[in-house]
Structures are given as C-alpha cells and as structure tokens.
Amino acid sequence: MLTDMTDTTTADIRAALARTRDQMGGPATGVVLNLIIMTDESGQHDAVRAASQAGREHPCRVLAVITRDPRADSRLDAEIRSGEGTPGQTVLLRLYGPMSEHADSVVMPLLVPDTPVVTWWHGLIPAVPSAQPLGMLAQRRVTDTARARAPAEALAALSAGYRPGDTDLSWTRATPWRSLLAATADQLTEPILGGVVGAEEHNPTADLLTVWLTCRLRVPFNREVSEGPGITEIRLTMAGGDVTISRPDGRLATLSRPGQPDRHVALHRRDIADLLAEELRRLDPDEVYGESLAAVAGIPAAAE
Amino acid sequence: MRPNPLRDPRDRRIPRLAGPCVLVLFGVTGDLASKKLLPAIYDLANRGLLPPGFSLVGFARREWADADFAQITHDSVKTHARTPFREEVWQQLREGIRFVQGDFCDDGAFDTLARTVAELDAERGTGGNYAFYLSIPPNAFPVVIEQLKRSGLSGTSEAGGGDQRPWRRVVIEKPFGHDLASARELNSMLAAVFPPHAVFRIDHYLGKETVQNLLAMRFSNTLFEPIWNRGYVDHVQITMAEDIGIGGRAGYYDGIGAARDVIQNHLLQLLALTAMEEPLSFAAESLRTEKEKVLAAVQIPADLSAGTARGQYARGWQGGIEVPGYLEEDGIPAHSMTETYAAIRLTLDNRRWAGVPFYLRTGKRLPTRMTEIAVIFQRAPHLPFDATQTKELGQNALVIRVQPDEGVTLRFGSKVPGSAMEVRDVNMDFAYGESFTESSPEAYERLLLDVLIGDPPLFPRQEEVELSWRILDPVEDFWADRYKPDQYPAGTAGPASADEMLARDGRAWRRL
C-alpha cells in the first residue's frame, strides 16, 4: 500500500502510519529496529530495495532521508509504503531547503519507541558518523567506504573519528574471507610467517583484511594490486609451503595447501541486501572492526 | 593444540564451522533425505558453514552412479532448499558427491564404501572424519552398525593421536526403541561400536528456533522465572496436532501408535525444557543433567483409566474433504488396536511443580496442524470487579507456538473500550516468523551442523531416552490390556474421553 503526502508534517505522517497499520491488520507490530537511510534521489531506489530485502530477516521501520534542493523553501514530502511483500513499513522523506539541515527533527518523532536505531549512510560518508545528529541517535552507524571516490582516504578518515558502534560495509564484505581463513588456520599445524592479500587497486575490504591478518597473526602481510574483481588471492607463507586461496572470477575460490588436493569453495561477492542483513544481526559494537580500523592508518598504501 | 589467533570470542561474525569431513547418508532414497537432509546440506554450504572439501556419500540399493545421485541431490535442492540456488555453491558440493550401491547385508558394498571414503580423504583432504547418518528403518540398524564395525569404518585406532585424531559419529533418528527393553537393546548394540559421545540422537523438534527460544525466554529474562512455578501456574498443556492421517507410514505406524511416535520423544522433551531448573550453563552436560532430573521427577497418574485417553480416527470430514478412518487406511488390519490420538496427565514430584498437572496430547487427523506449549496461569485470587464485568475474562496464558507460525503469545485481560467497565481476554503476540526468519535455519540445518562440529547440547542422551520409556511403558501396558481406542471422527479435536479427562479436573483443552 502506498500513501503519498506532499508538503506535510511529522504529525500527519505519524497519523498516516497508524492508519495504514490499522488498515493492514497491524503489520508493524513485529518491528525489531528502526533503520534510517541517509541517501539522495539517485541512490534511494537501490538503498530502499536493499533495506526491504534485509527487512525480511529483520523487520524494521525504514526511514529514508532524501535531501532535495537546499535552496528551495523548507518543505517535507513523504511516501509511506507498507505490506509490499516485506514486514514493517518504509517511509521516504524528501527534505527541501533549510529543513534538510535539521533532518533529525523530522526523523525523531517517526521512530518506533523502545526499539534500537541503526543509521546507514548510503552515499556521502560523514567524517565522524557519531557526531552527526542522526548518528547520535543510533546504536549502529553503517557507512560504505567502497562507494567513496577515494576509499583509502575515507577509511583513514573513519579511523580517526571512530566510536564504538561504527561499522563499514567493506568490513562486512570481508566476513566470508575471514571465516574461510579462520577455518583454514584451524587445520594448520605450523605457524604462519607472513603473507599477501591481492585485490584490485581501490578496495577497502582488502585493506581491512590486510590489517586484520597483520594484527591477529603479528606477522607482516602485504597488499598487492591485481586486476580484480575484488579480492583475487590471499597467500599465507609457511615454512612447509604456502597456503593460497585464489578467486579469480569473484565467485568460486580454490584453496591450495601443500601436500593436499586443491579444493573449491563458493565465495561469491554478496549484494548490499545481504551485507545489510549481516550488519543488522548484531547491534553491539564490533570491537574487532574497531581494532582493525585503528590499525589501518598505520599500514603503507598498496604497492604498485 | 595452539589456539587459532584468527578466532576471537568477540568476533561473532565468523560462524562456527565444521572441520573437513565426510557425511555418509544411508537411506538417500527416503523422503526425509530428499525433503530435508539434502536441502539442509546445500543450505549449510550456501551459508558458508561447510568446510572446504566437505563430501557427501550416499548409500542405497538403487543402481545409481555418482552422477545419478548428484542429479537426485540437485533436484531435491532445487525444489526444497530454503536459500537461493547458486551454481558455484552447487559446484563446490557436487565435486564431493559419491554414491555406493549395495545392500546392507552385502560385505562387498561396505568394503567399497570404506574405499570410497578413504579416496575422499586423499582427494579432498577430509582427514578421516566421518559422520554416518542412518536415515533407515530401525530394524536395519543392527546390520548396518555391524557392517560399519566389520569394514573398519567405525574405528579410528589406525590414525595418529592427539587433537588431530579423526572422529567417527553416528546419527540416528527416532524411534529409539519401542519400549525400555528395546531402547536398551538398541543402545547396547550402538555402544558396542560407538562410544556414547559419538552417538547423536536426532529429535528435530530440538533444532527448532522456538524451542531454543524457550530457553532464552526462561533464562535470559526476569519477567517469567518468578511465576514459573506452582505458586502461579495452574496447569500446562503441551500439544502436537497433525491434520494428516498416517499416509504412507502404515507399515511403521501400526503397532507403534501416537504415544510411542510422539509423546515419548517430542512431547516429553518439550516438557523437560519447559519444567527443568536453570542449567549451570548451556553446555551439553549441564543441560542434559537438568532434563534428566525433571524427567526422573515425572509421575504418571495413579488411576490410568482416568488420567489417560486414547483414540483412533474414524471416517469424517477434515478441512472440507471426506477422509477414510484409520481402520480403512491401506495396510492397516481391520481390527488394529493402534491409537492415533493419545493424551496423558502427568505430574512432577518436585518443589517447583508439585500439584501442577502437565497435560500432553497428540493426534492425527485433527482440525489443524499445530504444536504448542501453553502455560496456563491461575486466576487472580481476588477480582475487584462485579462478576458480570469479568465474565469474559479467562485465565492468563503464555503460549509458545512451536509450529507453524512460530512465536509467543501472552493472553491477559484488558478493558473493553466504552463507558462501562468490562474486562475481556486479549493477546499480545510475538511472531517469530514475522520474521527474523525468511532465512532462519531449518531445524535439520542446525542439527546437521552440530553433528559435524560435534556439539551435543541439542541431542538427547540415552539416559533421557530410558527415562522417557520408563514414563510411557506402564501406560502402554495398561492400554494393551484394555479394549479398543475410542473412535473420533476425522477433523474433530479427538475423542470425548480426552475432554472428559480434563473436565474431571475442572479444565478444558485449548481449542485446536
């Protein structure tokens, strides 16, 4: 069900939300979180779509904040979607003029009470997410440096402004790799002496993986540049021969260990909805990310 | 063994993952394999929870090649898997699929099986770790177990020592015997070949999210535990209702009946989890200790004729379709005494539950398919309202809906809007499936993963099985001496005797 409201107020939106809930027989009752999406008109479609997909696992009230022409007069337009194949409700908020500087005043009254808040910047990344008005509200603040024009700089900036509760989707993308690496390391009997992470040039996930391996194993790991897509190879150096995981096509990886047959592992690149769903699974600070991010500043840039 | 520096207890994104291993599946042509097990294996692979090199060996009488079995697996995955089909995941799985053709009595076939898994160890690095899943009729257990022993598949003595020593595990499905004596017999046969910690008894109810949530609800909240006792609880109803008949299970079902099929395992396990004391931790040992304590405290009614009921469905209309009675089903003898409905009133001899009846019921061809645990609370000791104002107020209830529509309902009284004071029951609903859950793991996924990891808390131990039979055996003996089960028309909520059983206590069953 779609409700379009132009030049409206938060009080009217609240009333409309309650009305749609009653008409739909109460689909908003099982909401487990509020998801605020900071986006623009060009990004909102994909972002909201991803949020609705993730919403099947985590029913949420999605509040998409779309900033429009800042020179216009202040105006609020809203679009309420509910029951479109996903639980929860989605409200698109279009903010015109000076109002866009005060998005928190629009969002606050629309949050489901007693329910955690997650803010996701789908687009521009603020230097200090937790200092943003809509970041302060949130238990979790999600950014995506892979979408930034200069991901490495963006990561460094986030590192400087990190507060517990921050997280970045480029770290989420590392989870399948990290699981596979941890499982591989379970089977190793000798120590890892160092290694290499090979990936396309601008890839914050590879940067984070490199520092994570360096920090956890306390041995040097180098970041190498390849043609991609994404991460193409991770090599663990050991006295008895290297263990490599190579994934040239972004889908199927090959795990090679000396003295053992090669094995295939499905390691596809996940879409945004998948990443978001993983992100929403836990709302407490991710300390391991915090540590890796802190170390990212100290790592030399990728060797050419 | 050195701790793995890449694992960190704070790092909860990295999932629990099984080590390299082979799953050998007996009974791959069965319904359970194609509808649940094979799809669950794919779903685990798709979630990245299976180790690289994981291999699956099917064993059956069919004249299949590896490719045929792979095709069957492929089809069942496409039809029944819960996660989307992805070619590369299938590719990973496909490489490790083998099939061994043979009869359970055929020594040669088991030698081939031993050779096949040894080849997998060499080709795919599965490290000699094998899990044997016996999805076969229980009368075939002895010969298969014996064959596993004879062919050396069950033993690990030849391999290296220490933590790297390979493991062998065996997974069996209910029924775990049909009475105490046969359960012990089955166990001693298993125990002769596999040590107790290597035997995994699957009760798929325990893999369900809501059942695990029962533990979370009871022991992570302050709200429920203070009232979870005889001071507040009036009685508990545990129901597993099925709308289907016996279908193609005639051969198995007749002579077994509803009580052995469902009460002995599922319902008594649910009772144990509902009534047990808080475990020291969720480690297998602590959890099982508490379950055993509570099962040992269970008392059957002194007068079995008043405290139990059994029924058999007769021809009737179920969901708008006329269906045959049990005695008319294919393969059922016309004078069968097997019950398709069983109800029993149990009490627990301990401080927490003394005097609180636990009513268990299960049946086939009932109006709906539904499993739930309903904790019904006592009425308020005093109501400061006129009797007419609270006429429609029932007892408070907390209902844990196990399936379908998993969730929790809390029923309490609320004022009806209006100028008069009138109190009526309302429900507060937490729908588990509304949904944390489009992709929440299926019970078999969780249980298979636990088997491969070797994590036993969700699997009942032999002691629990024996305690359950101890409860049921006298009831079965009593029934065996008695006349036929009461008839109830298909599509109704069971025999009148079951309603009378509760009426004698001044209570009524919850509507199905």
Side-chain angles (χ1 to χ4, degrees):
Chain A
M1 197 161 103
L2 271 171
T3 313
D4 239 326
M5 307 170 81
T6 44
D7 201 0
T8 185
T9 64
T10 54
D12 285 346
I13 298 173
R14 279 176 67 121
L17 278 170
R19 203 160 52 235
T20 43
R21 195 186 70 181
D22 290 348
Q23 285 166 358
M24 310 278 302
T29 46
V31 164
V32 297
L33 56 92
N34 291 288
L35 177 64
I36 304 171
I37 308 176
M38 306 301 289
T39 182
D40 54 25
E41 206 61 70
S42 65
Q44 56 95 356
H45 179 78
D46 291 341
V48 170
R49 194 161 160 267
S52 335
Q53 277 173 27
R56 286 190 205 136
E57 193 177 326
H58 312 277
C60 50
R61 176 173 285 181
V62 177
L63 300 170
V65 178
I66 303 161
T67 42
R68 299 289 303 229
D69 186 1
R71 287 156 304 183
D73 288 340
S74 272
R75 196 179 93 207
L76 173 62
D77 288 356
E79 189 181 322
I80 301 175
R81 300 176 186 171
S82 63
E84 310 247 299
T86 51
Q89 297 164 315
T90 302
V91 187
L92 270 56
L93 300 162
R94 290 188 169 83
L95 277 53
Y96 294 80
M99 184 193 279
S100 53
E101 297 294 309
H102 304 280
D104 53 320
S105 71
V106 177
V107 166
M108 294 260 280
L110 300 178
L111 297 172
V112 181
D114 265 346
T115 306
V117 178
V118 175
T119 303
W120 173 30
W121 283 270
H122 178 81
L124 278 186
I125 301 171
V128 184
S130 57
Q132 297 280 311
L134 284 171
M136 275 181 229
L137 282 176
Q139 265 89 344
R140 275 301 265 256
R141 293 166 294 273
V142 185
T143 50
D144 187 1
T145 46
R147 292 172 56 87
R149 232 166 274 125
E153 282 78 9
L155 212 52
L158 282 178
S159 174
Y162 174 79
R163 290 285 176 286
D166 287 1
T167 179
D168 193 82
L169 292 182
S170 62
W171 175 245
T172 322
R173 288 185 186 93
T175 304
W177 283 97
R178 296 195 306 121
S179 313
L180 182 57
L181 284 163
T184 308
D186 280 340
Q187 306 299 323
L188 300 178
T189 45
E190 47 177 327
I192 297 164
L193 306 174
V196 167
V197 176
E200 62 196 7
E201 191 176 356
H202 299 292
N203 189 306
T205 302
D207 298 343
L208 283 167
L209 261 176
T210 313
V211 290
W212 176 68
L213 284 164
T214 311
C215 292
R216 303 300 310 181
L217 296 169
R218 299 180 185 285
V219 293
F221 268 81
N222 291 319
R223 170 84 161 78
E224 277 178 4
V225 172
S226 72
E227 289 298 306
I231 298 167
T232 48
E233 184 182 62
I234 294 186
R235 198 159 62 237
L236 310 173
T237 314
M238 293 194 304
D242 293 359
V243 174
T244 59
I245 303 168
S246 61
R247 186 190 67 174
D249 63 352
R251 292 154 55 88
L252 192 63
T254 308
L255 170 66
S256 317
R257 282 178 61 181
Q260 286 211 5
D262 283 4
R263 286 171 290 196
H264 286 148
V265 189
L267 206 64
H268 66 280
R269 307 182 73 188
R270 298 182 296 167
D271 61 15
I272 289 275
D274 258 10
L275 300 173
L276 195 61
E278 175 183 324
E279 219 37 74
L280 300 181
R281 223 159 278 158
R282 300 204 180 272
L283 299 178
D284 52 334
D286 184 341
E287 296 165 40
V288 180
Y289 166 70
E291 288 168 10
S292 302
L293 188 66
V296 90
I299 292 289
E304 290 301 320
Chain B
M1 199 169 153
R2 287 179 317 119
N4 179 355
L6 295 183
R7 292 204 184 272
D8 181 336
R10 296 170 308 160
D11 193 344
R12 287 174 305 182
R13 289 178 195 257
I14 298 187
R16 305 181 311 149
L17 208 67
C21 58
V22 182
L23 179 67
V24 181
L25 191 53
F26 293 94
V28 286
T29 49
D31 243 21
L32 183 74
S34 67
K35 288 203 179 122
K36 297 285 187 188
L37 299 176
L38 296 172
I41 289 166
Y42 171 84
D43 288 333
L44 284 173
N46 202 5
R47 292 181 210 273
L49 298 176
L50 289 184
F54 171 84
S55 303
L56 172 69
V57 180
F59 187 104
R61 207 173 299 146
R62 298 273 167 91
E63 298 270 351
W64 282 348
D66 290 350
D68 298 320
F69 177 46
Q71 189 56 44
I72 297 293
T73 310
H74 182 267
D75 295 348
S76 98
V77 165
K78 277 235 163 155
T79 330
H80 297 291
R82 293 160 68 96
T83 55
F85 188 83
R86 264 204 294 268
E87 197 54 45
E88 68 271 17
V89 176
W90 170 246
Q91 188 63 28
Q92 174 191 350
L93 211 53
R94 169 67 189 89
E95 288 170 2
I97 291 183
R98 302 288 183 275
F99 184 76
V100 175
Q101 191 268 330
D103 204 84
F104 296 150
C105 309
D106 180 0
D107 288 1
F110 278 82
D111 293 338
T112 311
L113 178 62
R115 227 171 19 251
T116 306
V117 289
E119 279 164 18
L120 285 169
D121 286 343
E123 284 168 33
R124 304 190 34 92
T126 41
N129 301 313
Y130 313 139
F132 303 100
Y133 197 119
L134 309 189
S135 180
I136 52 177
N139 56 21
F141 285 179
V143 51
V144 171
I145 298 288
E146 188 49 41
Q147 286 283 13
L148 291 176
K149 187 179 171 195
R150 191 200 55 77
S151 54
L153 279 165
S154 61
T156 60
S157 49
E158 78 283 356
D163 288 329
Q164 293 294 325
R165 189 189 164 116
W167 50 256
R168 301 292 145 84
R169 294 179 189 134
V170 63
V171 187
I172 57 172
E173 287 265 352
K174 67 159 197 186
F176 312 125
H178 53 86
D179 58 14
L180 181 58
S182 59
R184 284 189 171 150
E185 199 178 307
L186 169 66
N187 188 56
S188 63
M189 191 250 311
L190 282 166
V193 181
F194 292 96
H197 68 261
V199 181
F200 287 75
R201 294 174 186 79
I202 284 206
D203 184 333
H204 67 270
Y205 265 61
L206 302 188
K208 287 193 179 289
E209 287 288 336
T210 6
V211 173
Q212 295 167 53
N213 191 34
L214 175 60
L215 299 177
M217 205 181 69
R218 284 194 59 197
F219 302 121
S220 68
N221 295 304
T222 51
L223 191 57
F224 304 112
E225 203 51 25
I227 55 169
W228 211 258
N229 55 51
R230 65 187 306 268
Y232 294 88
V233 175
D234 179 64
H235 70 284
V236 177
Q237 297 186 14
I238 303 180
T239 302
M240 176 177 159
E242 291 177 284
D243 51 2
I244 51 167
I246 51 155
R249 293 173 75 214
Y252 162 72
Y253 199 85
D254 196 59
I256 294 290
R260 288 194 182 101
D261 189 39
V262 174
I263 293 185
Q264 183 270 334
N265 36 63
H266 304 321
L267 296 195
L268 284 175
Q269 284 288 329
L270 293 183
L271 177 144
L273 293 171
T274 309
M276 71 180 191
E277 297 297 318
E278 183 173 86
L280 283 175
S281 74
F282 283 112
E285 197 56 37
S286 317
L287 208 58
R288 288 161 157 181
T289 305
E290 294 306 333
K291 273 159 64 184
E292 281 163 27
K293 258 167 64 188
V294 79
L295 286 173
V298 170
Q299 299 296 320
I300 56 170
D303 178 2
L304 284 170
S305 63
T308 68
R310 66 196 294 242
Q312 206 176 51
Y313 61 83
R315 175 170 287 275
W317 287 77
Q318 203 277 323
I321 297 164
E322 190 177 15
V323 294
Y326 179 72
L327 298 176
E328 301 167 85
E329 299 268 14
D330 283 345
I332 300 297
H335 301 290
S336 174
M337 296 273 281
T338 304
E339 84 278 357
T340 62
Y341 178 100
I344 181 169
R345 176 191 198 274
L346 298 175
T347 47
L348 269 55
D349 272 2
N350 60 28
R351 177 173 283 244
R352 187 190 282 260
W353 295 114
V356 178
F358 283 68
Y359 300 102
L360 275 49
R361 65 173 162 167
T362 181
K364 290 193 178 290
R365 284 279 184 232
L366 299 180
T368 52
R369 166 173 169 267
M370 177 261 268
T371 302
E372 65 169 32
I373 302 163
V375 180
I376 318 283
F377 292 93
Q378 296 168 12
R379 285 179 191 281
H382 168 71
L383 291 168
F385 305 96
D386 292 343
T388 52
Q389 292 171 335
T390 54
K391 217 171 160 184
E392 289 181 73
L393 176 65
Q395 284 167 285
N396 294 161
L398 182 75
V399 183
I400 293 128
R401 304 190 307 268
V402 177
Q403 76 170 18
D405 185 25
E406 307 188 358
V408 182
T409 302
L410 188 62
R411 190 180 68 196
F412 54 90
S414 168
K415 182 183 175 299
V416 180
S419 56
M421 174 52 90
E422 194 187 326
V423 183
R424 182 188 290 177
D425 284 338
V426 292
N427 285 327
M428 196 156 79
D429 203 26
F430 162 63
Y432 214 83
E434 194 189 67
S435 38
F436 277 109
T437 53
E438 166 111 334
S439 54
S440 88
E442 221 275 331
Y444 276 101
E445 268 181 71
R446 169 71 198 263
L447 295 173
L448 274 173
L449 183 62
D450 282 0
V451 168
L452 300 181
I453 292 176
D455 194 17
L458 297 179
F459 300 86
R461 188 156 61 172
Q462 175 64 13
E463 284 79 352
E464 292 166 57
V465 174
E466 291 191 11
L467 283 165
S468 309
W469 283 122
R470 249 181 234 283
I471 297 166
L472 204 59
D473 274 358
V475 178
E476 291 283 354
D477 289 346
F478 169 77
W479 283 345
D481 296 341
R482 226 168 138 246
Y483 48 88
K484 300 186 76 158
D486 304 319
Q487 298 283 310
Y488 62 96
T492 63
S497 54
D499 295 337
E500 289 155 15
M501 178 181 128
L502 259 72
R504 276 191 287 274
D505 291 350
R507 301 189 175 101
W509 290 110
R510 286 168 50 78
R511 195 185 66 226
L512 283 173

